[in-house]
């Protein structure tokens, strides 16, 4: 290790110490995350400014920063599957949701899939307005390599027929799926958890004492996993600091500049879909400004961490403690939202890619038939999209393959993927929260007093 790398590491440690000192002074969690975000951007920009883009000093420093940044992401991945599993199982143990399960599940799924279809339509419209075309984007070595990797992945998916792809959603080995061994592991875990939940409801109807014992065990496991979750989430400011420093230090600003129109169009689409979320809440008689204020901390976490699954505990807690959603509905909407109907990754992104790539094979992307096909394919393909990184890529491959469009051209966006993925992830989480709040409101389960009371905006992370 040379002196320059050691110095860069010392700077990171010093900034981590600053964040820890703020924690000791009981500075709010969301404030510390914002500060970590700013410090990470400044540190990354300083590294690139001092040493230059692609400098050896930066390349040698990044692996050490990854110990904190990537290590934090891996810890989030560690808790993701167990948390999805137990959250859905706990939802079934809530008596209210057991009595009205069919209506609640149908509403949640309808909102998730419906908003994804709307997201696709908005993505198509935004792409048309900004006149985006994949052929206009220059491809470097990284983009070509990315395109080739996507083609290889798509070929493995294309080898299976549609019925085989549907079968892949089912959990032949739920313990293997709990490790995230397959691209469809998330939906497989959801299905396995649902089977156990239905089994619990069956036991509860026939053997109440046994059901009480099962519920007690499930609650105990849930409490234990949530304890682990809280420990990991307390590391968020440090993880965000390292992630942002690495991202900014290694970003190709020339590529970002050349793809600036796509980045702007993407965020315009994401913001419009978020406005749709607010309109849905408004139509149910809820104040959208209240939602924004109370969901902001969780959406910020999703934005900076870029993991919908990692945001699951904050998602559930925001719905229950701040927005007045019953725990059962919150668990279902948040957990289902990880694998079904992700508005950003499975809605906006693949639809924009489809419209951008269509002209390269002589297809008019604005023909009514093509637009309708894209929206339908996007909605259907949104099932089984993982929420632990790579979900947008998986969704794009499915959609482009179904439309018989060249996969390789999706690689041209690799340079701006991290920048756009932050907004996509926040929108995914907002979509699942909107589904939970709206479902609770429509079914009469929402605690309106909690939703409207400003005092309910207590800290989500007590650390």
């Amino acid at each position: 290790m040379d002196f320059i790398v050691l110095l860069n590491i010392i700077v990171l440690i010093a900034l981590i110490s600053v964040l820890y000192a703020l924690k000791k002074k009981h500075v709010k969690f969301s404030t510390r995350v914002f500060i970590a975000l700013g410090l990470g951007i400044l540190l990354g920009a300083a590294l690139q400014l001092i040493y230059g883009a692609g400098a050896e000093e930066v390349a040698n420093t990044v692996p050490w920063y990854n110990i904190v940044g990537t290590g934090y992401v891996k810890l989030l991945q560690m808790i993701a599957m167990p948390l999805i599993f137990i959250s859905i199982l706990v939802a079934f143990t809530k008596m209210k949701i057991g009595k009205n399960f069919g209506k609640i599940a149908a509403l949640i799924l309808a909102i998730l899939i419906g908003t994804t279809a709307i997201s696709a339509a908005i993505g198509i419209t935004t792409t048309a307005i900004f006149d985006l075309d994949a052929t206009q984007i220059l491809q470097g070595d990284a983009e070509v390599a990315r395109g080739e990797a996507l083609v290889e992945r798509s070929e493995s998916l294309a080898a299976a027929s549609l019925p085989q792809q549907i079968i892949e959603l089912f959990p032949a080995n739920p313990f293997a799926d709990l490790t995230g061994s397959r691209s469809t592991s998330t939906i497989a875990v959801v299905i396995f958890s649902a089977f156990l939940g239905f089994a619990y409801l069956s036991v509860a109807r026939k053997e109440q004492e046994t059901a009480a014992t099962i519920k007690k065990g499930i609650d105990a496991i849930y409490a234990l996993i949530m304890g682990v979750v809280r420990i990991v989430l307390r590391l968020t400011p440090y993880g965000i600091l390292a992630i942002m420093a690495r991202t900014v230090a290694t970003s190709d600003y020339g590529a970002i500049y050349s793809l600036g129109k796509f980045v702007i169009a993407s965020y315009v689409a994401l913001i419009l879909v978020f406005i749709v979320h607010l309109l849905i809440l408004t139509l149910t008689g809820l104040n959208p400004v209240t939602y924004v204020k109370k969901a902001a901390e969780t959406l910020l976490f999703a934005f900076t961490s870029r993991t919908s699954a990692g945001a699951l505990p904050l998602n559930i807690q925001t719905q229950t403690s701040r927005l007045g959603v019953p725990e059962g509905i919150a668990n279902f909407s948040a957990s289902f939202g990880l694998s079904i109907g992700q508005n950003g990754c499975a809605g906006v992104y693949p639809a924009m890619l489809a419209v951008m790539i269509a002209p390269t094979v002589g297809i008019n992307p604005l023909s009514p038939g093509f637009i309708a096909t894209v929206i339908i394919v996007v909605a259907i393909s949104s099932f089984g999209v993982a929420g632990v990184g790579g979900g947008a890529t998986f969704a794009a491959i499915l959609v482009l393959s179904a439309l018989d469009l060249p996969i390789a051209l999706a690689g041209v966006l690799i340079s701006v993927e991290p920048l756009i993925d932050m907004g996509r992830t926040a929108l995914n989480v907002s979509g699942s929260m909107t589904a939970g709040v709206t479902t609770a409101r429509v079914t009469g389960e929402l605690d309106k007093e909690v939703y409207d009371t400003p005092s309910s905006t207590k800290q989500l992370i007590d650390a």
Side-chain angles (χ1 to χ4, degrees), residues 154-170:
S154 68
E155 287 174 350
S156 64
L157 289 174
S161 63
L162 180 59
Q164 287 175 316
Q165 291 180 32
I166 294 174
I167 291 173
E168 282 297 308
L169 299 178
F170 292 92

Side-chain angles (χ1 to χ4, degrees), residues 151-446:
V151 170
E152 290 179 6
R153 187 172 177 184
S154 68
E155 287 174 350
S156 64
L157 289 174
S161 63
L162 180 59
Q164 287 175 316
Q165 291 180 32
I166 294 174
I167 291 173
E168 282 297 308
L169 299 178
F170 292 92
N173 186 344
F175 298 102
D177 285 320
L178 282 168
T179 67
S181 60
R182 302 184 299 147
S183 58
T184 55
S185 284
T186 303
I187 189 65
V189 170
V190 170
I191 292 171
F192 177 59
S193 304
F195 269 96
L196 289 180
F198 281 117
Y200 166 80
L201 294 179
S202 178
V203 172
R205 283 192 293 267
K206 300 174 182 177
E207 304 174 45
Q208 293 186 359
E209 290 186 9
T210 302
T213 302
I214 295 172
K215 183 179 184 303
K216 189 174 181 179
I218 291 172
D219 288 343
I221 296 173
Y222 183 71
L224 181 63
I225 291 178
M226 288 304 296
V228 176
V229 167
R230 281 189 287 272
I231 293 172
V232 174
L233 290 183
R234 287 169 183 166
L235 302 175
T236 298
Y238 318 119
I240 296 303
L241 168 65
I243 290 171
M244 293 307 301
R246 176 196 65 198
T247 301
V248 174
T250 57
S251 292
D252 184 346
Y253 292 108
I256 292 175
Y257 177 78
S258 66
L259 292 171
K261 190 162 71 167
F262 178 79
V263 174
I264 294 172
S266 296
Y267 271 93
V268 168
L270 295 174
I271 291 170
L272 288 175
V273 177
F274 183 67
I275 291 173
V276 169
H277 294 169
L278 300 183
L279 288 175
I280 291 172
L281 295 173
T282 302
L283 291 174
T284 62
L286 298 174
N287 188 334
V289 176
T290 301
Y291 169 79
V292 173
K293 289 180 179 178
K294 295 188 175 184
E297 186 174 331
T298 300
L299 297 181
L300 170 65
F301 174 84
F303 181 86
T304 51
S305 67
R306 292 173 53 200
T307 164
S308 301
L312 180 60
L314 291 182
N315 185 335
I316 294 172
Q317 194 171 347
T318 297
Q319 291 191 53
T320 55
S321 67
R322 292 185 170 185
L323 299 172
V325 179
E327 192 171 354
I329 294 177
N331 282 359
F332 265 115
S333 64
S335 300
F336 283 173
L338 291 179
S339 57
I340 299 172
Q342 292 196 338
N343 292 176
C345 289
V348 170
Y349 183 67
M352 292 184 71
L353 281 181
V355 175
M356 288 176 62
I357 294 173
T360 66
V361 291
I363 296 175
N364 178 8
L366 300 182
S367 65
F370 182 78
I371 291 174
T373 302
V374 170
I375 293 174
I376 293 171
V377 169
V378 165
I380 295 174
S381 299
S382 69
F383 282 82
V385 176
V388 198
T393 300
F394 182 59
I397 290 175
L398 289 177
V399 171
L400 296 178
S401 297
L403 296 171
D404 198 24
L405 294 174
I407 306 293
L409 286 176
V412 300
L413 304 174
I414 184 175
S415 301
V416 294
E417 268 290 297
L419 183 61
I420 299 171
D421 195 44
M422 293 190 290
R424 289 192 312 231
T425 306
L427 187 67
N428 294 341
V429 174
S430 177
S432 64
M433 285 198 288
T434 300
V437 175
T438 303
T439 298
R441 178 65 167 168
V442 172
T443 58
E445 303 272 0
L446 185 74

